[in-house]
Amino acid sequence: MLLSAESIYRKKIYISGIVQGVGFRPFIYALANKHKLRGFVFNDGNGVVIEVQGENETVFKFIKEIDLSAPPLSRIDTLNIEDIKLKTDDDFTIIESQDTSLSTMLSPDMTLCNDCKREMFDKKNRRYMYPFINCINCGPRYTIIKKLPYDRKNTSMQNFAMCDKCKAEYEDPTNRRYHAQPISCYDCGPKLEFISLMEVCQAQDNEAVEKICDCIKSGKTVAIKGLGGFHLVCDARNEEAVMLLRINKHRLTKPLAVMFENMQSLQKVCKIAKSEKELIVSKERPIVLVKKKKQQQILCKYIAPNIDRVGVFLPYTPLHELILKKLKFPIVATSANLSDEPIIQDQKELFKKLPLVVEVSLNHNREIINGCDDSVMMQVANQNITLRLARGFAPLSFVTKIQKSKKILALGAQQKSTITLAFEGNIIISPYIGDLNTVGSMEYFRQTVQTFQRLYNFKPDIIVCDKHPRYETTKWAKEYIQNHPSCELMQVQHHYAHALSTMAEYALDEEVLAFCFDGTGFGDDGKLWGGEVLLATAHKYKRVYHLEEFALIGGEKAIKEPRRVALSLLFEIFSLDEIYEMQNDFVSSFDKNEIQTLHLMQKRGINSVKTTSVGRLFDAVYALCGFFEPLQYEGESGMIMERLSCEFRTKRKYKFTLYNDVICCQNLIKSIVNETKKELIPAKFMNTLAEMILQISLQYKNKRVILSGGVFQNSYLLEKVVVLLTKNNIKYSVASKVPINDGGISLGQAYYALHQNN
Ligand code: ZN
Ligand code: ZN
Ligand code: FE
């Protein structure tokens, strides 16, 4: 049938989102050929541009299929179509990348895909056992990129010249390695290397893998270079090996993550719900916190002492697959770093910083440009909760409808730092940077800011930070403003930013009732807040309830020593004589002078800041349960109470009072002190907190409830609250993709700035 000229149309299609480096152009190419359409496709700074010509109905089908069957790693944010004049092209072609300085969204690193895994274990394949196998659907992205656009020359693969075979695959639009930027093989790719600090003993490639496996088997701690940095690795079954790693890393009890060969071996150790399984095998492969089986005898007892959960994950790079396949037993795989420092990315740095911890390493020469830790997640009430946003998920980008011409850079808080960029309708959250308590981590923070500015060609018009005057991020912001006077500074209260981060994830602009419970944050009155109930919009907030104030005697010291916090709560309720008369284990864990000194400090306000923190209340209750030792790591008290509340279940709770805008805890503490069944304290305490949240929510029945802040990392508490709210038909939102802890603060700050007029 001859087509009349009128029935032929030419459309220009603009697509934005994650559409570069994810196989989008070959997908369009194949689709156009399938429909026998003419035209071309190319990448530009904003995404992908297509010109397509053919019969109206066919073009329409083509466009519909773009949306329906886009490649797995892609994400379409906008798709705009315009009619243009007919042209005379012979066929459909892919036009090479136009080098532009504009930005487009970048895909995070992705787990080895099934096609590549199959090839890797296929003896006949030329990439059999090749530790750097990848394709357009998998492999490194963020960790190897220097600048956009995402082309090989802009990545750390630039030094590896493709061999003829790889080049042919790279240039063939029908091949799944077409424009897979990190493509390589034994002949042309990076090399593995076994390095020993003690002896002259080097090996390459598969021999290096053999050697490192032998070291792990013999009980050594080894370092293995992964996607975003080195892991410290040892045999997770071997008590001596795990203890040695702990002692050397000065990390005595903080739980260690464990990598398993596959789901079957993992399920021998842990109870896994179906939805947890989906998360564990997902293409992002985060570390997932799951329940240990009580009778499991595989993991040694030092992996996650005193708690009932463990962080588990599956291999996500070809190298991990090879190692676990050889070992056939689970390994500890924890970020190689000094405590509070960023993950180590470089071999030289490794032996310099951790000479006592590790003496052998499996290194390779594909440089890590941007460090990236493993993501950590859990599931509560059938929802994913992000504890650490990193590999696989970050940079996390999404689009917003809020129009704002100014570019925003939000710096987050001090702990679990992330940064957020907002520009031209895009919001981008960086991977986890860490706790900014050391020179090294501040350096890493500065680097991350630079990297993101470079990647997205970004110069901020507005800087947003916390109100805490001593946060490193606040200091950095003020210095930046001094050097860039045209840039504006905004400071957002910490707990308000917690609320805003959840509002941002769900694009909420209604007034919400936000429960922001965490360790501590700087309050508007200069005190340390952390048990706040806010009535909030994206523009302003009102503090409608807060936990009753108590003193942190000795400031920082009290945060490490829960016993002191508990004592200070007792001082609020009882006289000194009454406390001496108690004669319980708790009181006798102090000597009399100590009690007197602390009492004096509190009465006179010497080094005793006032706080409303629920996190610290947790610590106090933990001490009153009979745990008098200083904490080894942040969140320890909550995790142990979580375990106890599952072991000693009860529906009972304590009495509490809401008075004006204060959540009073004196009665609560009194009941806990007098509790005869100490083992029931954790469950009863958390039941009480959940009930408080319900009672307050019922006072604002038509408001959506938000639960945000580190305290809600406690799965027992979160689950309880969610169940109560659901029963009472109260709408609620809990952050899922965005970290529920301080990792979400930068997003909340950016969301605030986006809503300010101008
Ligand atoms: Zn692949
Ligand atoms: Zn090659
Ligand atoms: Fe916080």
Side-chain angles (χ1 to χ4, degrees), residues 113 116 134-135 138 176:
C113 75
C116 286
N134 64 72
C135 73
C138 72
R176 67 186 176 83

Side-chain angles (χ1 to χ4, degrees), residues 235-251:
D235 182 347
R237 307 163 308 171
N238 183 334
E239 275 185 19
E240 233 169 277
V242 175
M243 208 53 216
L244 198 68
L245 185 151
R246 283 195 175 282
I247 292 168
N248 286 333
K249 215 194 158 196
H250 304 294
R251 177 167 163 162

Side-chain angles (χ1 to χ4, degrees), residues 242-428:
V242 175
M243 208 53 216
L244 198 68
L245 185 151
R246 283 195 175 282
I247 292 168
N248 286 333
K249 215 194 158 196
H250 304 294
R251 177 167 163 162
L252 292 185
T253 52
K254 193 173 176 186
L256 297 164
V258 181
M259 188 184 272
F260 290 82
E261 184 193 353
N262 52 35
M263 210 57 208
Q264 288 94 301
S265 59
L266 199 158
Q267 278 171 312
K268 284 182 192 151
V269 176
C270 304
K271 275 192 262 180
I272 309 286
K274 199 169 155 245
S275 52
E276 284 172 333
K277 185 177 165 184
E278 279 166 21
L279 189 58
I280 294 169
V281 302
S282 68
K283 63 184 193 306
E284 291 88 1
R285 296 268 158 115
I287 294 173
V288 182
L289 290 188
V290 293
K291 278 253 156 81
K292 278 186 277 191
K293 282 186 179 166
K294 272 209 182 97
Q295 278 81 24
Q296 73 85 20
Q297 307 242 307
I298 298 169
L299 297 190
C300 82
K301 61 179 186 246
Y302 299 129
I303 296 288
N306 307 324
I307 60 174
D308 58 351
R309 294 196 297 169
V310 59
V312 298
F313 57 153
L314 293 181
Y316 54 85
T317 67
L319 181 57
H320 293 142
E321 290 281 357
L322 288 176
I323 291 169
L324 268 301
K325 192 115 189 155
K326 275 203 200 317
L327 291 175
K328 301 212 172 304
F329 57 77
I331 53 173
V332 168
T334 181
S335 302
N337 57 1
L338 294 167
S339 54
D340 276 2
E341 291 250 317
I343 187 165
I344 293 173
Q345 301 165 37
D346 175 78
Q347 173 66 44
K348 279 192 201 117
E349 207 190 331
L350 179 78
F351 283 157
K352 205 171 100 195
K353 288 196 170 162
L354 300 173
L356 295 174
V357 185
V358 32
E359 56 186 70
V360 291
S361 126
L362 188 57
N363 186 30
H364 60 71
N365 57 345
R366 186 179 71 201
E367 192 192 346
I368 297 170
I369 305 295
N370 306 303
C372 198
D373 275 89
D374 293 310
S375 290
V376 184
M377 302 185 78
M378 64 173 183
Q379 276 194 343
V380 180
N382 293 319
Q383 192 192 310
N384 292 343
I385 304 284
T386 300
L387 303 174
R388 190 202 282 158
L389 176 75
R391 176 192 44 82
F393 296 99
L396 176 66
S397 61
F398 51 97
V399 286
T400 167
K401 290 201 182 86
I402 307 158
Q403 292 297 323
K404 179 114 182 157
S405 56
K406 291 190 172 172
K407 294 182 170 183
I408 298 161
L409 169 63
L411 304 176
Q414 170 91 352
Q415 310 301 322
K416 302 187 172 58
S417 158
T418 61
I419 58 166
T420 294
L421 268 54
F423 59 94
E424 293 155 15
N426 299 302
I427 298 180
I428 298 163

Side-chain angles (χ1 to χ4, degrees), residues 413 494-495 498 518-521 709-710 741-742 745:
H494 186 94
H495 301 92
H498 268 304
D518 67 354
T520 45
N741 50 42
D742 280 9
I745 292 283

